Structure formats: C-alpha cells, structure tokens
Amino acid sequence: MQANGAGQGQESSELSCLNSAQNGESSSAGGTHSNGLLSGTDNGNSVGTSNGSSIGTSSAASTASGSEVGSLKKKKRLSQAEEDVIRLIGQHLHGLGLNQTVDLLMQESGCRLEHPSATKFRNHVMEGEWDKAENDLNELRALMHSPNAIVRMKFLLLQQKYLEYLEDGKVLEALQVLRGELTPLKYNTDRIHVLSGYLMCSHAEDLRAKAEWEGKGTASRCRLLDKLQTYLPPSVMLPPRRLHTLLRQAVELQRDRCLYHNTKLDSNLDSVSLLLDHVCSRKQFPCYTQQILTEHCNEVWFCKFSNDGTKLATGSKDTTVIIWQVDPESHQVKLLRTLEGHAYGVSYLAWSPDDTYLIACGPDDCSELWLWNVQTGELRTKMSQSHEDSLTSVAWNPDGKRFVTGGQRGQFYQCDLDGNLLDSWEGVRVQCLWCLSDGRTVLASDTHQRIRGYNFEDLTDRNIVQEDHPIMSFTVSKNGRLALLNVATQGVHLWDLQDRVLVRKYQGVTQGFYTIHSCFGGHNEDFIASGSEDHKVYIWHRRGELPIAELTGHTRTVNCVSWNPAIPGLMASASDDGTVRVWGPAPFLDSQEADGLNENCSNMDS
C-alpha cells in the first residue's frame, strides 16, 4: 500500500503518515503550522507563533506526541482510505481558519496534509515570491506523474508575475519577464501575444478588465494555485475544496437517482441537509387530479400548453378549440375563450414560438388549416391548397414567420402567416412534423415507418430514424437531441437524433393504431409521459424503462398528454371520454387524507 503523499521513487511508503516530529518539518517561513500549511487566523485570532512553538518546535511535545502516535500505530495502522478522510477533514478545517484544530488532528493521526515541497511551493506562491516558487518546481518534478507539466506550471507562474508587475507600474520588469522568461519557454505563443498587448493598458483597472484578472492579491493567487494543483498528484497536494466537491457530488448523485425529483438543482450545499439522504415524495409529483375540465361535448383529441406555460389549448371532435388560462399562483385553469368552426374536429394544435398564434389541424379527411390570433380570438388565416389535401400535422419555424404542414396524401408545404405557399415537397406522406432550432431542418415521420430530415433551403433530405412499425406521432426535446416516438403496437420509444440510435423502449403503455401523443416534461425534461389505450396516463423517468406512476381516472383512451414547460408540477391529459384532466401534486391535506389519494397514482417503484 502506498501511503498518501508518496513520491515517485524518492519517498518511503510512510510519506503521508509520520510522527509529529517529522510532521513539524517545513522549510518555509516561520509562520507555518505543523500541519504544513501557512498560518492564517482562527476566527480572527492569530494562531501562528504559539501554535508553531507548542506543536512544531517544542522537543518535549514532539517526544510525547511521537510516543503517543507510535502507540497509536501499534494499536492500529491507518488504512489508505482513513488517511484520505483525515486529510480531507484537515483541508476543510484549514479553509475555515481552524488551524490549531488541524495541527492537533495531524499530530494525533500522524498524517500531514501535503508533501513538504508542496507546502513550500504553496507558501511562496501566496507570498508572491516567484523566484523561490520557480525553484520549488525542481523539487516537485520528481513527484509528478508528468514531468513535462513543469513547463506549463512555470508558464502560469510567470504569467502571474508579469501581470503583477504591470499592475504595479513596473513596465520594464514586466517586459523583461515577457522577453527573457516567458518567450524562451516556447510554449503557448498565442497567449504570449495576448499578454504583450497588455503593455498598452493605461491603468490598472484597464489591465484587470482586459485580462479578466482579479488583480494582485490573495484572490488571483488562490485561483493560480487551483490551476497549478491540477498538474500535481493528490498525494502531493490535495485538489482545492476537495471535501466540499465530494459532498456536492454525493448530493447531485442522490438527486439524480431520485425518481420523483422535479425541481431545479441547487449546487449550494447550504440548501440541503447533509445528515439525511435526499428523497422526494411522490405526493410532490403531478399525479393527482387537480381539475376535470368538461366543457368539451365530445372526444378530446389533443391538448398543448403554451410555450410560456400561461395557457392551455385543447382540441376536440366537437369542432372547437378551447383556450384556458393558467393561474400562476394556484395553477388552476379557467376557460378564456372558445374558437369554433373546425368542421372535421381538431386533432392537432401548435403554438407559435411567441404564443401569439395557434394553428389547428383536423383528422385525415380534413384539407383545411386554421391559424388563430390567440390574443384577440380572431381567425387570421384559413388555409386550403386543394380539397384533395389532408393537412393533419403542423410545425412552426423558430422565426415564428413560417410553418410547415402536411398529411398522408402526399402534401408537404411551407407557408407564411397568410397561408401563402413558399415551398413544397412532392410525394412525402406526412404523419407528424417538427422544426429543429437551426431554422432549416424539418423532421417528418412518414408512412415508411421512418423519420427523415428535410432541408427546404438546399432541397436535401436524409434518413434519421427507421422503425419496424408505423410511427403514429413524435416530439423532440428542447435541445433537439432526443425524439420521443409513439410506435404502433410497440409503445413509446426514445431515439438519439444525433447518434441515430434507439436509446430506450418504455414499458407498460398500451398502444395500438390510435394516434397517441406523448411528451417530455418536468424540470430539465427528466420525465416522459404518454396516454394509453387502457385509459391511463403513464409517467417514466427518462432513464428508466419501467413507469414510476400510472394515473387513473379517464374512462376511455387517453389521446394526448402535455406537461407545462414553465410549471414542472403541472400536466394535462385529453381523452376520448370527453374530458381534460389537469394533474398536480397532492393537495394540502392531513397525512391520512393524502394517503387515501394514492389510489389515483399507482407507485411503480418496486
């Protein structure tokens, strides 16, 4: 076992754990603690001199503590993991200014925070003694896994030295560093050219702004040390704030594994308890019915929240579109206005990027498309190219000035807001459409069980997804990387559009040849939700194939699910039973009543 701090062939196997007499060794300035680090303040009180003398230099104390540590070693030799933990705790305490406590910890354990050469190096850097720091690099060379990194470390030191000279107005000294020390390294010449430009800065503020540098002092030197440490093994010098980093990673991992975590990730450890594991309750998840909307008088085929989350649009076989207003506080929805006259019913809806307009499409035998101004309730455009057309799907271009539409009879059009035809693609039987954020590429699923990318600018197309069964509908994640497909007789599939691979098949949902629309949702789109022909809404965590919740309440096929993009705890579903259900967290009831609601949301954890 190689103890922490062991050098590359120079140090003995007991480099990290020594007795306290060895522990006090340091060739740096007299203000150094026996733990090897430069003394600071302990809650505002100086702890340098008395502490150093009582622990580091007193021969009596050294002898006594040496015998104590020797006794400890006889009882139990510390494992590598135990040494690491002690060093992590020591580093954290040192950062809090508890240097006497660190000294005692190192003395009793027989460990030290870092290699003596690293301690000297740290102290010289923090004191701005650049020549001494350069000499220290020669000692550190033998301890490094990659001796070539010495050049990079020297470059970083000289860069700091150069900037500090400039800030102090010592232009000639700075010029000497640039020409006589940095340039001969023959490393990163582009950066040297940038550094030479700083000679023209007229004052210190200008230099700090252009160099994006904090200026001479503790802050910039600490940042420099953080960069320098990356070239040193952790056995020689611990990475900065290592315990804090490990704790943050543990919290993030627990959140990552939490099935129901649906809030913004906060990397600040002060916002969580480190004494308990992170667990989100299912009662905080949108799997309880908040409202049942019964204003439609026939099957509801589609529902979609606006991009800003303030409105919900629902389309029905009853020939109407209803716009609902979402209350930002209570998250209750109320009827805002009804858009009528869609003779064949409304099977698909698309909000414009700025939510000003809403386009409504009908089923297969519908050759018309309606473009509504949501703010005024006025019909801006009613488009129909031919009575033989079937316009069943639509997607907005990100610029909000164009849209594409098509259907299974071979129509594929690009139009402006007045319904004027801008471009068309012949012979593509479109099932579903999506415009990517590049503003050029349109994804279209067709009757050949595939999704192809079409570029209307250079009139090129390419195959992206190939399934073995009909793709009834699909949607794309916000970042454009993932596509969620509802595949006939197969269910819900997740594809990576960039790598063009099938990522996951989600289990549980009943999918025949009905058109069912699924969605991404929740914070960071970590969840998948889909309707089903067994009258349920299924929710999965994006990384898991088994559902984490099954929502019951609808009495016929659930055709569409939409997750509010601005309120992660709000979701809506549309069903052939003529209702729209709005789902949210459990209401604020006492524990017994809340437990009674569990029948509404089946737990699929096990």
Side-chain angles (χ1 to χ4, degrees):
M1 176 184 72
Q2 182 178 349
N4 240 8
Q8 307 298 309
Q10 284 195 348
E11 302 296 322
S12 71
S13 63
E14 294 187 9
L15 181 63
S16 284
C17 273
L18 307 171
N19 63 34
S20 61
Q22 291 172 307
N23 202 32
E25 291 178 9
S26 173
S27 54
S28 70
T32 304
H33 279 267
S34 61
N35 62 47
L37 295 179
L38 192 67
S39 66
T41 59
D42 186 5
N43 297 328
N45 301 319
S46 175
V47 296
T49 307
S50 62
N51 197 40
S53 60
S54 63
I55 296 178
T57 60
S58 170
S59 60
S62 298
T63 306
S65 60
S67 62
E68 289 175 8
V69 175
S71 165
L72 176 66
K73 284 187 176 182
K74 290 177 183 177
K75 292 179 182 177
K76 179 184 177 183
R77 182 180 179 84
L78 295 178
S79 68
Q80 184 69 54
E82 290 168 333
E83 288 182 23
D84 291 347
V85 170
I86 289 172
R87 293 180 68 208
L88 292 173
I89 294 172
Q91 183 194 45
H92 185 72
L93 294 175
H94 176 75
L96 297 175
L98 305 178
N99 293 307
Q100 291 184 10
T101 306
V102 177
D103 287 340
L104 186 59
L105 175 64
M106 295 300 118
Q107 177 189 1
E108 290 190 353
S109 66
C111 298
R112 63 183 172 202
L113 286 184
E114 56 190 20
H115 192 279
S117 297
T119 301
K120 279 198 303 177
F121 180 62
R122 176 193 299 277
N123 295 339
H124 290 151
V125 169
M126 291 305 297
E127 292 162 4
E129 298 183 6
W130 306 117
D131 293 339
K132 292 182 179 179
E134 271 192 73
N135 291 332
D136 295 336
L137 289 179
N138 295 324
E139 293 183 32
L140 292 171
R141 183 190 300 268
L143 303 175
M144 296 172 61
H145 297 312
S146 174
N148 294 333
I150 289 290
V151 174
R152 292 190 279 272
M153 295 178 73
K154 189 173 183 180
F155 186 91
L156 291 171
L157 282 175
L158 293 174
Q159 177 179 254
Q160 178 80 10
K161 179 180 179 181
Y162 169 76
L163 291 173
E164 290 192 9
Y165 274 147
L166 279 183
E167 187 183 46
D168 290 339
K170 300 177 179 178
V171 179
L172 291 179
E173 289 87 341
L175 191 59
Q176 175 58 34
V177 171
L178 185 68
R179 290 179 175 175
E181 299 182 68
L182 276 168
T183 303
L185 290 178
K186 297 180 180 179
Y187 174 77
N188 203 348
T189 53
D190 290 341
R191 178 61 180 166
I192 289 178
H193 291 153
V194 173
L195 291 173
S196 64
Y198 299 153
L199 288 165
M200 307 305 295
C201 293
S202 55
H203 47 77
E205 290 78 8
D206 187 27
L207 171 66
R208 290 192 289 268
K210 288 184 177 178
E212 296 180 352
W213 178 60
E214 297 95 330
K216 179 180 179 179
T218 303
S220 65
R221 291 173 182 175
C222 282
R223 189 179 295 272
L224 171 63
L225 266 175
D226 289 351
K227 293 179 181 178
L228 292 168
Q229 188 282 323
T230 60
Y231 298 103
L232 295 171
S235 57
V236 177
M237 180 185 287
L238 282 173
R241 298 170 294 281
R242 183 60 184 161
L243 181 60
H244 184 277
T245 299
L246 290 173
L247 291 173
R248 191 181 72 248
Q249 290 173 348
V251 170
E252 289 175 354
L253 179 62
Q254 288 184 23
R255 285 172 172 168
D256 206 33
R257 291 179 174 177
C258 178
L259 288 178
Y260 300 105
H261 189 77
N262 192 27
T263 56
K264 184 178 180 180
L265 295 177
D266 189 347
S267 59
N268 185 0
L269 291 181
D270 293 335
S271 65
V272 298
S273 171
L274 299 177
L275 307 181
L276 294 171
D277 285 348
H278 172 87
V279 178
C280 287
S281 168
R282 185 163 46 90
K283 295 188 176 78
Q284 301 169 273
F285 204 68
C287 54
Y288 299 89
T289 300
Q290 307 276 43
Q291 287 178 269
I292 302 176
L293 311 179
T294 58
E295 279 72 4
H296 285 295
C297 57
N298 209 324
E299 298 173 357
V300 187
W301 289 339
F302 201 83
C303 62
K304 185 72 173 178
F305 282 103
S306 59
N307 298 296
D308 63 7
T310 62
K311 296 179 181 65
L312 171 68
T314 57
S316 171
K317 187 178 179 181
D318 67 6
T319 74
T320 68
V321 172
I322 298 180
I323 308 296
W324 310 82
Q325 186 73 44
V326 180
D327 186 287
E329 300 297 329
S330 67
H331 300 167
Q332 294 285 300
V333 302
K334 62 180 180 180
L335 195 150
L336 182 62
R337 60 173 48 93
T338 301
L339 311 175
E340 301 176 334
H342 311 86
Y344 295 91
V346 179
S347 62
Y348 196 84
L349 296 164
W351 291 89
S352 63
D354 63 359
D355 295 324
T356 300
Y357 298 105
L358 181 73
I359 296 179
C361 299
D364 289 344
D365 50 357
C366 179
S367 62
E368 298 173 324
L369 174 149
W370 293 262
L371 194 157
W372 296 90
N373 185 316
V374 180
Q375 313 298 331
T376 63
E378 297 175 351
L379 179 65
R380 169 159 178 171
T381 305
K382 182 179 180 182
M383 190 194 100
S384 178
Q385 293 294 324
S386 167
H387 292 295
E388 301 298 321
D389 285 356
S390 171
L391 302 182
T392 58
S393 186
V394 67
W396 284 88
N397 188 286
D399 65 11
K401 300 175 182 178
R402 297 168 287 163
F403 61 87
V404 291
T405 183
Q408 290 196 16
R409 296 179 184 173
Q411 295 76 41
F412 190 8
Y413 304 135
Q414 182 169 229
C415 308
D416 63 16
L417 296 185
D418 295 318
N420 299 315
L421 190 63
L422 301 177
D423 296 290
S424 66
W425 210 292
E426 297 296 329
V428 181
R429 298 181 181 273
V430 174
Q431 179 74 23
C432 192
L433 293 166
W434 194 274
C435 289
L436 294 184
S437 58
D438 62 9
R440 300 186 304 273
T441 307
V442 178
L443 301 183
S445 61
D446 56 30
T447 54
H448 296 285
Q449 306 168 2
R450 63 190 180 182
I451 295 177
R452 292 178 66 79
Y454 297 87
N455 189 315
F456 275 92
E457 292 185 1
D458 57 19
L459 299 180
T460 59
D461 61 319
R462 59 193 176 98
N463 207 46
I464 297 177
V465 169
Q466 181 67 60
E467 283 278 2
D468 296 327
H469 298 80
I471 301 171
M472 307 308 293
S473 69
F474 76 93
T475 187
V476 177
S477 60
K478 289 179 181 177
N479 62 12
R481 178 70 185 261
L482 301 173
L484 193 62
L485 284 60
N486 283 75
V487 184
T489 72
Q490 302 300 300
V492 182
H493 293 179
L494 183 69
W495 280 78
D496 186 313
L497 296 177
Q498 182 173 311
D499 295 338
R500 303 185 194 181
V501 294
L502 176 63
V503 177
R504 194 161 287 112
K505 295 181 179 180
Y506 296 103
Q507 301 178 24
V509 68
T510 302
Q511 169 85 59
F513 286 90
Y514 285 108
T515 298
I516 293 176
H517 300 273
S518 56
C519 67
F520 293 95
H523 186 75
N524 201 35
E525 294 192 323
D526 282 333
F527 302 97
I528 304 292
S530 178
S532 175
E533 293 180 22
D534 63 4
H535 315 165
K536 297 178 182 178
V537 174
Y538 287 83
I539 302 177
W540 301 266
H541 197 286
R542 198 171 67 190
R543 294 188 306 275
E545 294 182 359
L546 296 177
I548 62 173
E550 296 177 12
L551 314 188
T552 60
H554 285 296
T555 57
R556 293 184 63 190
T557 296
V558 180
N559 299 308
C560 183
V561 181
S562 179
W563 210 306
N564 192 299
I567 307 172
L570 193 64
M571 190 171 63
S573 58
S575 170
D576 281 348
D577 64 11
T579 69
V580 175
R581 284 187 174 245
V582 180
W583 308 86
F588 294 102
L589 304 174
D590 64 49
S591 58
Q592 290 182 344
E593 289 175 305
D595 289 339
L597 288 174
N598 285 351
E599 63 188 22
N600 213 23
C601 178
S602 303
N603 190 351
M604 303 298 293
D605 295 355
S606 59

